[in-house]
Amino acid sequence: NPEHSGLEISLSRFDRIYRPGESVSGVLIVTAKDGWSHTGVKMHVAGQASLQVPGENKEVKPRRLMEQDFTLVEPGKMDMGTTKIPFSFVVKGLNKNVLLETYHGAYISVNYFIAAKIERGVMKRGLEKEMEFIVEVPIRKDSLANPKEEPFEITEKTLDNVRTSKVGKIPEFRIEGKLHRSNCLINMPLTGEVKIVKSVKSISSIDVQLVRIESVSAALGSNGELSKGEMIKEATEIESLQIAVGDVARNMVIPIYMVLPRVYTCPSLSTATFAVGFEVNLQIVFEDGYMVCETFGIGLHRVQ
């Protein structure tokens, strides 16, 4: 006889990753101490996009993407011990809507979850369990088969946000390199190279920073309805990678290799009410603390 009653969800796929049209299958594992009556074993499957307008404390009604309800077991009695209840459902959008990929951002999140519930009458507390599963949404894009390199050259003369009168006071330097593709496949690492051709001042470190640009319409009401308004953008760092430390040898090729983290990135997307884009910052810090930063807009894609 088990010590406590409990409820667990177990999916047939260890990684819990599914694509639209695929079947999600698994079992609910019910542990019953002494056995008890119940009013039914129910399961709710949902997907939603949750938004927050950057800089505002305004709750926005989540956008529903997927919703399914099931009664797995009719009211009755659960026997003492462990009972496994199988279930399955198809990953599909609500009212034939297009599904968005799972994404955990700062102001935008797309989540899919399974919630199981057993009500056990007045005197016993109900059992509940929730589990997130991950949805990937690939697209067909033949243009991504041929990667387009993005070469760059940074000198004291190419810097933005520097007054013309100050350019002559910045020590001379020249940095060359390239990103191997500006349209990146999300399941492949972001790669490229950088080379310090010339620098009068010693270098302290070189970092690569992955940044998400989240945009949410300022006109979104608390009910999720849209009136006219601009998109409010906010940039937040996802990850930072130091690729060199110290005064690196001149003309030495330094590789860039950054693995894109699952769920904290997603294919670049744009809708009427929100958008998610990505940038890469290359940061060179000189010994005196002066920093040069070059920003590259990149597109992230998942292909079939």
Side-chain angles (χ1 to χ4, degrees), residues 63-78:
R63 177 175 155 188
R64 290 157 65 216
L65 302 170
M66 179 178 177
E67 203 146 20
Q68 299 179 44
D69 285 286
F70 308 93
T71 298
L72 299 177
V73 179
E74 296 296 336
K77 192 170 187 331
M78 199 65 68

Side-chain angles (χ1 to χ4, degrees), residues 72-93:
L72 299 177
V73 179
E74 296 296 336
K77 192 170 187 331
M78 199 65 68
D79 293 332
M80 183 178 76
T82 301
T83 303
K84 292 187 177 181
I85 304 165
F87 67 83
S88 72
F89 61 89
V90 175
V91 178
K92 60 181 179 184

Side-chain angles (χ1 to χ4, degrees), residues 179 184 190 207-211 256 258 260 278-282 293-298:
L179 291 180
C184 307
L190 172 76
D207 296 83
V208 177
Q209 185 185 43
L210 179 64
V211 173
I256 297 169
M258 179 181 268
L260 303 173
F278 299 91
E279 289 178 349
V280 172
N281 292 335
L282 178 67
C293 181
E294 187 80 359
T295 298
F296 309 91
I298 59 168

Side-chain angles (χ1 to χ4, degrees), residues 6-288:
L7 177 61
E8 293 294 329
I9 301 171
S10 175
L11 294 178
S12 58
R13 288 188 190 174
F14 177 72
D15 59 9
R16 309 200 309 270
I17 298 169
Y18 299 87
R19 293 184 169 190
E22 290 187 340
S23 179
V24 179
S25 60
V27 291
L28 296 187
I29 303 167
V30 184
T31 308
K33 181 182 186 295
D34 300 329
W36 30 256
S37 299
H38 62 87
T39 59
V41 179
K42 294 181 168 61
M43 194 171 81
H44 176 65
V45 178
Q48 63 184 33
S50 305
L51 309 175
Q52 186 190 339
V53 181
E56 294 189 24
N57 206 6
K58 186 167 69 176
E59 282 290 316
V60 178
K61 187 180 175 184
R63 177 175 155 188
R64 290 157 65 216
L65 302 170
M66 179 178 177
E67 203 146 20
Q68 299 179 44
D69 285 286
F70 308 93
T71 298
L72 299 177
V73 179
E74 296 296 336
K77 192 170 187 331
M78 199 65 68
D79 293 332
M80 183 178 76
T82 301
T83 303
K84 292 187 177 181
I85 304 165
F87 67 83
S88 72
F89 61 89
V90 175
V91 178
K92 60 181 179 184
L94 184 65
N95 302 325
K96 297 187 178 174
N97 282 347
V98 174
L99 291 175
L100 301 176
E101 182 147 328
T102 295
Y103 169 67
H104 297 178
Y107 300 97
I108 299 167
S109 288
V110 178
N111 302 84
Y112 297 87
F113 61 89
I114 299 164
K117 191 174 185 180
I118 306 175
E119 294 289 357
R120 300 193 292 162
V122 182
M123 302 304 289
K124 282 190 162 70
R125 190 167 52 85
L127 300 176
E128 294 182 15
K129 187 70 179 178
E130 199 171 285
M131 174 185 273
E132 183 178 15
F133 63 98
I134 294 165
V135 173
E136 291 183 349
V137 185
I139 53 161
R140 257 195 83 98
K141 246 192 183 170
D142 297 331
S143 59
L144 295 174
N146 302 312
K148 182 171 160 257
E149 285 191 346
E150 183 158 340
F152 60 85
E153 181 184 77
I154 314 166
T155 71
E156 71 281 1
K157 295 186 177 75
T158 65
L159 295 178
D160 293 330
N161 306 323
V162 179
R163 287 183 193 155
T164 315
S165 58
K166 295 273 176 83
V167 170
K169 296 177 183 173
I170 299 173
E172 276 188 62
F173 66 87
R174 189 158 121 243
I175 299 157
E176 294 176 356
K178 62 186 172 188
L179 291 180
H180 290 148
R181 56 193 308 159
S182 54
N183 273 324
C184 307
L185 299 178
I186 201 166
N187 55 336
M188 302 285 283
L190 172 76
T191 60
E193 55 192 58
V194 62
K195 182 168 65 175
I196 308 296
V197 179
K198 177 171 76 172
S199 178
V200 173
K201 282 204 168 174
S202 295
I203 285 165
S204 172
S205 66
I206 304 174
D207 296 83
V208 177
Q209 185 185 43
L210 179 64
V211 173
R212 60 186 157 221
I213 312 295
E214 294 175 313
S215 309
V216 180
S217 172
L220 268 177
S222 56
N223 61 355
E225 294 301 315
L226 181 67
S227 58
K228 281 200 167 176
E230 60 177 337
M231 287 280 205
I232 297 180
K233 287 186 181 181
E234 194 68 51
T236 49
E237 181 188 305
I238 301 173
E239 66 176 328
S240 188
L241 183 69
Q242 190 171 70
I243 59 170
V245 62
D247 194 22
V248 297
R250 306 305 183 249
N251 288 307
M252 183 178 78
V253 173
I254 302 163
I256 297 169
Y257 188 97
M258 179 181 268
V259 175
L260 303 173
R262 190 186 293 284
V263 308
Y264 296 106
T265 55
C266 68
S268 305
L269 74 98
S270 180
T271 73
T273 51
F274 62 94
V276 182
F278 299 91
E279 289 178 349
V280 172
N281 292 335
L282 178 67
Q283 297 175 334
I284 295 96
V285 182
F286 293 91
E287 207 171 46
D288 59 2

